[in-house]
Amino acid sequence: DKVRVGEWLSSPRALAAPLGAPSSKAGGAQHLLLAVKQRVKALKDLQAQYAQVEAQFYRDFHDLEKKYAAFYQPLFDKKSEIVNAIYEPTEGECQWQVGVQEGAWGEMEREPAGKGPTNGIPHFWLMAFKNVKILGRMIRKNDELVLEHLKDVKIKFSGFEEPMSFTIEFIFKSNEYFFNEILTKTYQMRSGPDDSDPFFSKGPEIISSTGCEIYWKEGRNVTMKTSKLQECEDHRSIVSTTKKMPSYSFFTYFDPPDSPEGRVVNVTTDYKLGYFFREVLVPKSVLFFTNEASEYKCGSADDEAREAGGEEKKAEEIRNEEPEKGPEKHLDPGESSS
């Protein structure tokens, strides 16, 4: 249940057999001369020292990521200003055409009939999320109404403290669904080898994640549904009762990853999503909004196949459920619906 950087892509590290795996040559060192065995022990000591140096490399790399995050931030801030109608780009800033796929832009370039002027880029993050296969399966119809209020997603790196970590901040406009302005998901990482595997520094390796509590407004909790139950009070009468139960929702992503009820993804997928948000989706969000980033995948082909087989049917059935009290959509004047 631990995931390393880039594990959703093919990696030479993923092709290596884990330490201690059965092998026809596993007992080869047992028949060495004593003097040779001693030298092998010296090599293993050097290997353990190498792992410690490698762990320091990963810690330094994390610090370098934090340094360059400060260089990236002005670009991300300007993107947010354009998306949220704070800044209107100049004509010169709108001239980018190199490598554009016509198919991805054809529908966007036509103004919808009868629609007024639009400010910023409506539903930017919702559309970017939906164009990622696994996120598209996690997002229900009622989730879409909430995610339309998402105005920015940011990645924050921890400082020099251990364990290393990064936090994904989901920043929302004031809305009728919850009181939070920011929802967070934090991933703790380890870079050094552990006692059970002293020769490999697996880092940076996610070892745990922490979500946040969402303070839902009355009747707006899309992670819960109300089911009607009928119970026999005695042999003459039947009493109807209601019970609140967890409902399939994108927003269970902020629950603890080991919470069994209402979870959309398992722990491994949760960790892969963390890296995917951090390294691909957030920095390349415009390419997901335009659906030009189809070559990027969150998880291996095997993960996709398992999720498609086990989760797709369930997700499709639950998406059509009636919620506890369905959130109603309220459009501001001049805002277009996706």
Side-chain angles (χ1 to χ4, degrees), residues 58-286:
Y58 287 127
R59 287 190 286 269
D60 291 345
F61 184 76
H62 179 78
D63 293 338
L64 190 62
E65 283 186 301
K66 183 177 175 65
K67 173 184 175 180
Y68 274 83
F71 298 151
Y72 296 142
Q73 196 55 52
L75 305 177
F76 294 153
D77 289 343
K78 195 164 189 178
K79 175 179 70 175
S80 179
E81 290 174 355
I82 294 173
V83 167
N84 294 292
I86 298 172
Y87 174 79
E88 186 65 29
T90 65
E91 183 176 348
E93 291 173 319
C94 297
Q95 296 304 310
W96 179 258
Q97 291 292 329
V98 177
V100 170
Q101 299 177 12
E102 293 296 332
W105 285 84
E107 293 297 322
M108 295 185 181
E109 291 177 348
R110 292 195 290 271
E111 291 289 344
K115 298 292 182 181
T118 300
N119 295 324
I121 305 178
H123 312 153
F124 175 84
W125 287 102
L126 170 61
M127 296 307 299
F129 283 13
K130 289 179 67 176
N131 285 333
V132 177
K133 187 175 180 181
I134 186 172
L135 291 178
R137 288 200 297 267
M138 291 168 61
I139 296 171
R140 289 185 59 198
K141 292 178 182 178
N142 287 322
D143 294 328
E144 292 187 23
L145 302 181
V146 186
L147 288 170
E148 286 176 0
H149 297 275
L150 180 59
K151 65 179 184 180
D152 203 5
V153 182
K154 295 182 177 181
I155 308 297
K156 297 291 182 67
F157 294 90
S158 66
F160 298 101
E161 68 273 10
E162 288 284 352
M164 301 184 302
S165 66
F166 64 93
T167 298
I168 310 172
E169 294 184 347
F170 299 77
I171 303 171
F172 285 83
K173 304 173 186 174
S174 178
N175 61 79
E176 63 267 40
Y177 301 105
F178 47 70
F179 294 98
N180 311 62
E181 292 184 4
I182 301 176
L183 302 183
T184 61
K185 185 73 178 254
T186 299
Y187 291 90
Q188 291 80 30
M189 299 182 295
R190 177 177 58 204
S191 61
D194 55 36
D195 294 338
S196 64
D197 190 1
F199 304 114
F200 289 92
S201 177
K202 303 182 182 70
E205 175 187 41
I206 289 180
I207 55 175
S208 64
S209 69
T210 307
C212 68
E213 183 174 358
I214 302 177
Y215 298 99
W216 296 98
K217 296 181 180 180
E218 184 66 29
R220 296 295 184 175
N221 189 345
V222 297
T223 69
M224 299 295 292
K225 63 181 178 181
T226 300
S227 295
K228 294 182 179 180
L229 304 174
Q230 290 187 337
E231 298 179 353
C232 293
E233 192 174 52
D234 53 42
H235 65 284
R236 295 181 179 180
S237 61
I238 297 177
V239 178
S240 294
T241 61
T242 60
K243 182 180 179 181
K244 289 187 176 182
M245 302 175 63
S247 179
Y248 192 100
S249 169
F250 165 80
F251 288 92
T252 62
Y253 172 67
F254 298 96
D255 292 343
D258 56 353
S259 175
E261 294 187 336
R263 287 289 297 169
V264 176
V265 295
N266 59 27
V267 175
T268 300
T269 306
D270 175 68
Y271 293 175
K272 287 183 178 180
L273 275 173
Y275 277 127
F276 191 74
F277 271 112
R278 165 184 144 173
E279 299 189 6
V280 184
L281 180 53
V282 172
K284 298 177 173 62
S285 53
V286 66

Side-chain angles (χ1 to χ4, degrees), residues 2-59:
K2 300 183 180 70
V3 178
R4 295 184 288 275
V5 173
E7 192 167 295
W8 64 82
L9 302 173
S10 296
S11 168
R13 188 185 294 273
L15 300 178
L19 192 67
S23 170
S24 60
K25 298 182 180 179
Q30 296 177 2
H31 305 290
L32 296 175
L33 296 174
L34 180 59
V36 177
K37 283 185 178 181
Q38 291 296 100
R39 294 170 193 139
V40 170
K41 289 180 180 179
L43 295 184
K44 293 178 74 173
D45 181 66
L46 292 173
Q47 187 66 51
Q49 293 180 48
Y50 175 92
Q52 294 296 334
V53 175
E54 187 179 30
Q56 184 60 49
F57 163 78
Y58 287 127
R59 287 190 286 269

